[in-house]
Amino acid sequence: MTRAPGGKGPTPTPTPGPPRTRTPHTRPPRTRPPRTPSAVRLGPRSLLTLALVSAVGVAAFGWPFLAPPDSQVGSHTQDAPWLFAGLLVLLVAVVAAAIAESGLGPKAVAMLGVLAATGAALRPIGAGTAGIEPMFFLMVLSGRVLGPGFGFVLGNVTMFASALLTGGVGPWMPFQMLAMGWFTMGAGLLPVPARAPGRTEVGILAAYGFFAAFAYGTAMNMAGWPFMGALASNIAFDPHAGVPANLARFVAYCLATSLGWDLGRALVTVVLTLTLGPALLRGLRRATRRAAFEAQVTFEGPER
């Protein structure tokens, strides 16, 4: 006890409080961005049917290089309608298997219809103008966001709808459907890290669109190349020649007939992906999260 100045009374001695401890500064844990739900999940039956479709497609595209030179296979024009019907049945089987395994609900069907209608409407915009086909960039972004299963179905449905819209139904249509299904599915299989910045993801998608546009054109060239006959003897398919000779003819055919068209398609895909890709990716992911494709719907009875 001490006396205050002036002698007016004692002043209490302050008692020390508890020791102050410093709380260590901790950063909030990093959270990964929410995973975009897949509209069509590939299960065992879907994968098996997709593998069957792809095997038939590879044989249908590459038979000129698979058939031996001494075979009697010179043209499959008479087989094209059967191939058309067979591929359509297999493609319907893929969709049916995906519906049976993943429960493709009305929201996913609605999104499939909207994207397919948009792609079908975009295709005729640049028809006949140096490969200006804006539908390809939409397929790349849709396949990336919605997954390979949805992408394969979307590519086939879009090409089928666009063929009906433009009057392009013919023996070449199953080849276009299958090639576009592979094109869109490949975007969903890209190994892009989940934490990759937006610019990195868009750049990878643009690069994929560039090379995949050439791959699509090459596949379609392979589907039509055997029918040339005597139109261009130096670059036409020769059923009696070996694989190296026909491969050289096919490369010359691609360079002479479709290089400019494929280059235009690839450049348009890259430009549209780089300019419109970020906004469209955000919109597709927002719509997919709101649709909640993987949410389980349960029905509860009335409370008693």
Side-chain angles (χ1 to χ4, degrees), residues 173-263:
M173 191 175 73
F175 297 98
Q176 293 178 333
M177 293 172 59
L178 191 57
M180 183 56 70
W182 286 338
F183 179 91
T184 313
M185 182 179 65
L189 295 174
L190 289 177
V192 182
R195 298 183 180 181
R199 294 181 179 178
T200 302
E201 182 183 21
V202 172
I204 293 176
L205 293 177
Y208 169 79
F210 182 84
F211 292 105
F214 279 99
Y216 175 86
T218 302
M220 294 310 304
N221 287 339
M222 193 176 296
W225 173 56
F227 303 108
M228 291 187 59
L231 296 179
S233 58
N234 293 330
I235 59 177
F237 170 66
D238 185 1
H240 304 290
V243 174
N246 275 323
L247 185 60
R249 287 169 174 261
F250 178 69
V251 172
Y253 170 77
C254 292
L255 295 177
T257 59
S258 67
L259 178 61
W261 187 278
D262 295 338
L263 181 61

Side-chain angles (χ1 to χ4, degrees), residues 37-41 102-105 108 111 146-147 150 288 293-294:
S38 177
V40 176
R41 291 172 293 149
S102 63
L104 189 65
M111 180 168 287
L146 297 167
F150 189 93
T288 304
F293 294 120
E294 295 179 353

